Amino acid sequence: MATPRPVPHRAPAPDRLALRGDLLDFSAAPAWGDTAPSNVRWRADHWLLIDRGRIVGVQPASQPPGPDWQCEDHRGRLILPGFIDTHVHSAQLDVIGSYGAELLDWLETYTFPAETRYADAAVAAAGAADFLDALLAHGTTSAVVFPTVHKVSADTLFAAAAERGMRLITGKVLMDRHAPDGLRDDVAQAERDCVDLIARWHGRDRLAYAVTVRFAPTSTPAQLAMAGALCAATPGLYMQTHVAENKAEVQWVRELFPEARSYLDVYARAGLLGPRSVLAHGIWLDAADRALLAKSGAQIAHSPSSNLFLGSGLFGWRAAEQAGAAVSLASDVGGGTSLSMLRTMADAYKVQALAGERLTAWKAIHAATRGAAVALGLEHEIGSFDTGCAGDVCIWDWAVGAVATHRLALARELHERAFAWITLGDERNLVAAYVAGRERFRREGDNPGDTPAAGRNAAATHND
Ligand code: GUN
Ligand code: ZN
């Protein structure tokens, strides 16, 4: 493995960190269409207290913490749990924004060639570090990640996440057919690699292993069976894959697996569906598939940016949820065109609008925080400001630039403000990101010691 590169951090981790601002998190899932649900926890101008990496309390600004706390005053800013991106490819920053292809073409033309470079340990190590720092610079502190087929790509990603103290779920990609030279494994070697990676990384620090089947067309039935056996053998493993993203892909799976009732059924038959299964896309599912998702506890990682960019289709979020299936939000970079979960939420709104549904800001933010945590079985650790959760926290400006500042200042109530923030914002709104109470990103020019800027609160005057 290549030598790890230094991990950026601007400040030493204080034992006790207090952050002041407008706290937003959720006590439970908001309902569809409800812009004022009771499970939005909005605590305007409060202190969030983090002691040795864990959240220990929240108190009003009128009760400042004692002198043994390092205090940062972000009044007028939004403080949220770090975002959770449930499906993203670490090696695909090289192909983000590639022109003119649908899924199968896009894989052949851009993605597979780019991923072959990750056989090189130095490329893999540098790529892992850059990727995680980019996630943090977009306000994402936890993720479920596809590296490449190469064992070293998973190894370096685990190591880089451990250095940053991040909650990360990943695993070597399995693909033993229908892929170019340099990007295929075989069943026996893949199994040995997985077993070794699981032994070294699963459950260490904040890391978990995901048995990572790229998608049904690139694994033989023998490899799918091996993947299912791995899931059964080790409790607590995750499983991640793609399902029913594109019509031509679905047709191909029908031809490759004629015995299966559906694409999803290919995974069910291999023993790959369970409460820790994360399936990206799920656009072309039917009612029986949705019932199977619900029964198994598997979640769909809805990837709206990717679905629009690759022209894959419109995901039926509401139908999935009505059937009882969990839905989280994902960037799916490099099919998706931004690591920003704000952009992802804005795209999710537009996908639902095309399908005649209205996604509230609350449902969107919940899906990228507590909702994802619950779907991953990690709500005790991430996704909210509950006492005992990790201090994975992001500080956001409500508005950046003249247009957003103008619009936010006119917002009459909290949902309008949150919705405009999502629609007009992106990573430029991010001021700072903390992982387990340690600063891991700070916007250029923002210093922790600065007094609150006059007028920062301009957008917040009518709403509390
Ligand atoms: N299906 C199989 N591989 C991929 C991938 O890398 N990206 C997307 N969006 N879909 C896939
Ligand atoms: Zn993907």
Side-chain angles (χ1 to χ4, degrees):
M1 204 165 66
T3 322
R5 301 178 338 155
V7 179
H9 56 263
R10 309 279 156 98
D15 270 359
R16 304 181 118 192
L17 174 68
L19 301 170
R20 177 177 174 174
D22 297 333
L23 307 188
L24 174 63
D25 73 339
F26 297 85
S27 56
W32 276 92
D34 188 351
T35 55
S38 58
N39 28 39
V40 175
R41 275 196 303 221
W42 170 247
R43 290 171 282 199
D45 205 9
H46 274 61
W47 290 101
L48 177 69
L49 306 179
I50 302 168
D51 190 352
R52 279 159 292 160
R54 297 212 167 268
I55 292 167
V56 292
V58 166
Q59 59 198 43
S62 56
Q63 294 168 25
D68 49 341
W69 289 82
Q70 177 178 312
C71 293
E72 279 188 35
D73 191 342
H74 291 284
R75 76 185 74 171
R77 284 180 168 148
L78 179 61
I79 303 186
L80 272 176
F83 287 132
I84 304 164
D85 185 342
T86 56
H87 179 78
V88 57
H89 298 254
S90 57
Q92 293 183 11
L93 288 179
D94 293 10
V95 296
I96 187 170
S98 292
Y99 172 75
E102 284 202 1
L103 174 66
L104 299 177
D105 250 8
W106 175 83
L107 287 171
E108 290 286 334
T109 311
Y110 302 111
T111 309
F112 287 162
E115 291 189 8
T116 55
R117 293 178 55 235
Y118 275 65
D120 180 325
V123 170
D130 290 347
F131 169 74
L132 293 182
D133 290 338
L135 280 187
L136 294 168
H138 286 74
T140 296
T141 51
S142 298
V144 185
V145 185
F146 267 63
T148 67
V149 71
H150 314 100
K151 184 183 182 189
V152 71
S153 74
D155 239 336
T156 49
L157 191 55
F158 276 124
E163 283 169 43
R164 288 158 182 75
M166 291 172 76
R167 159 53 75 178
L168 201 92
I169 300 169
T170 190
K172 179 208 115 59
V173 177
L174 298 168
M175 43 197 306
D176 66 346
R177 64 169 170 175
H178 299 139
D181 290 349
L183 218 56
R184 286 188 308 276
D185 54 14
D186 63 65
V187 177
Q189 185 59 47
E191 184 174 21
R192 281 193 294 275
D193 289 349
C194 290
V195 167
D196 182 53
L197 288 165
I198 291 164
R200 288 191 298 114
W201 294 110
H202 183 59
R204 177 170 154 189
D205 300 326
R206 300 181 66 192
L207 308 171
Y209 195 85
V211 173
T212 301
V213 174
R214 179 166 213 127
F215 67 158
T218 44
S219 283
T220 58
Q223 188 171 64
L224 294 176
M226 181 276 283
L230 278 177
C231 291
T234 310
L237 287 184
Y238 288 86
M239 193 290 293
Q240 60 175 340
T241 191
H242 298 87
V243 71
E245 175 178 1
N246 165 288
K247 278 188 172 169
E249 169 211 18
V250 173
Q251 179 55 32
W252 193 20
V253 171
R254 208 173 278 137
E255 289 158 19
L256 290 169
F257 298 91
E259 70 287 358
R261 193 203 70 80
S262 68
Y263 191 158
L264 188 71
D265 187 43
V266 173
Y267 298 137
R269 285 163 169 257
L272 290 167
L273 294 189
R276 287 175 168 242
S277 304
V278 182
L279 298 108
H281 309 298
I283 296 167
W284 306 105
L285 299 176
D286 63 14
D289 291 325
R290 287 189 283 271
L292 178 56
L293 281 175
K295 187 159 162 257
S296 65
Q299 69 177 284
I300 291 293
H302 172 37
S303 309
S305 166
S306 169
N307 298 163
L308 294 169
F309 185 70
L310 296 176
S312 301
L314 306 177
F315 172 63
W317 186 337
R318 198 157 182 181
E321 218 169 272
Q322 270 167 351
V327 177
S328 54
L329 267 179
S331 68
D332 191 30
V333 161
T337 52
S338 172
L339 289 175
S340 164
M341 294 307 283
L342 290 184
R343 292 270 180 109
T344 302
M345 289 180 220
D347 283 341
Y349 177 83
K350 292 169 193 168
V351 166
Q352 293 312 307
L354 280 168
E357 300 288 355
R358 290 287 174 261
L359 182 70
T360 66
W362 306 136
K363 269 212 83 70
I365 300 172
H366 174 265
T369 55
R370 191 186 191 104
V374 169
L376 294 167
L378 294 173
E379 67 273 24
H380 56 282
E381 183 191 327
I382 54 175
S384 78
F385 296 140
D386 284 357
T387 298
C389 277
D392 293 355
V393 177
C394 289
I395 316 274
W396 298 90
D397 274 333
W398 281 103
V400 170
V403 171
T405 302
H406 173 80
R407 176 64 184 91
L408 271 283
L410 294 173
R412 288 150 303 179
E413 42 81 29
L414 186 58
H415 182 267
E416 184 179 348
R417 193 170 10 145
F419 187 74
W421 175 68
I422 288 171
T423 308
L424 304 176
D426 58 30
E427 68 275 17
R428 285 167 288 194
N429 294 54
L430 183 66
V431 177
Y434 303 82
V435 176
R438 183 169 190 143
E439 186 187 301
R440 292 291 184 192
F441 170 80
R442 171 77 55 172
R443 191 170 59 192
E444 215 58 42
D446 275 282
N447 295 312
D450 287 352
T451 47
R456 185 195 290 167
N457 217 11
T461 44
H462 311 283
N463 306 284
D464 311 314

